Amino acid sequence: MSPAYAATHDTVLPDPLRVHLLCLLREAQWCRFSFLCQATGVSQDRLKRQFFALRAAGYTDTRRGVGQEGWARLTEHGTRQRDAYLARLAGLAGQAADQLVQGQHEQPDWFAPVSPS
């Protein structure tokens, strides 16, 4: 495993739905589960399972409102983890582009142009 890839290792965030949820949430601002379901296109049950993992990792807080409506918000820890994870992913993409350029220069026979079908 490359050091760049290992640096992105997070046991909670590799699920794109969880990253999407953290991007929809803001610290100190509560958001209804109904909005999050609509924005992500998932059911309440699936959303609850995702929040179980996010809450257990300390990334979010959840609560029940009047009528048992679910609410969620991002914690400070969640904000830091989300921002760091997204920065590492962006860095990984940049490093991969650099590796491609270097590889094509050093080992051009490892790369072949796409042949027409």
Side-chain angles (χ1 to χ4, degrees):
M1 178 181 310
S2 77
Y5 179 78
T8 64
H9 184 69
D10 183 306
T11 60
V12 177
L13 290 182
D15 185 320
L17 176 56
R18 292 180 187 162
V19 175
H20 188 186
L21 289 168
L22 293 186
C23 289
L24 290 169
L25 294 172
R26 297 285 181 253
E27 190 178 329
Q29 180 183 17
W30 290 95
C31 188
R32 285 182 188 246
F33 273 25
S34 54
F35 165 74
L36 297 169
C37 287
Q38 181 182 9
T40 59
V42 300
S43 68
Q44 284 263 351
D45 287 338
R46 183 160 180 219
L47 188 72
K48 288 176 188 176
R49 287 191 301 270
Q50 299 303 318
F51 273 105
F52 179 77
L54 292 168
R55 191 176 55 246
Y59 290 11
T60 62
D61 289 327
T62 59
R63 67 178 175 143
R64 292 272 179 206
V66 176
Q68 298 301 309
E69 174 72 35
W71 292 79
R73 73 174 176 184
L74 198 58
T75 63
E76 285 182 41
H77 175 67
T79 300
R80 285 190 307 273
Q81 292 298 103
R82 177 201 61 199
D83 294 348
Y85 186 74
L86 292 174
R88 288 188 307 263
L89 286 178
L92 181 63
Q95 183 178 2
D98 293 344
Q99 288 172 317
L100 279 170
V101 169
Q102 182 179 354
Q104 288 173 333
H105 175 73
E106 293 175 359
Q107 297 290 335
D109 58 322
W110 287 3
F111 301 88
V114 176
S115 59
S117 300

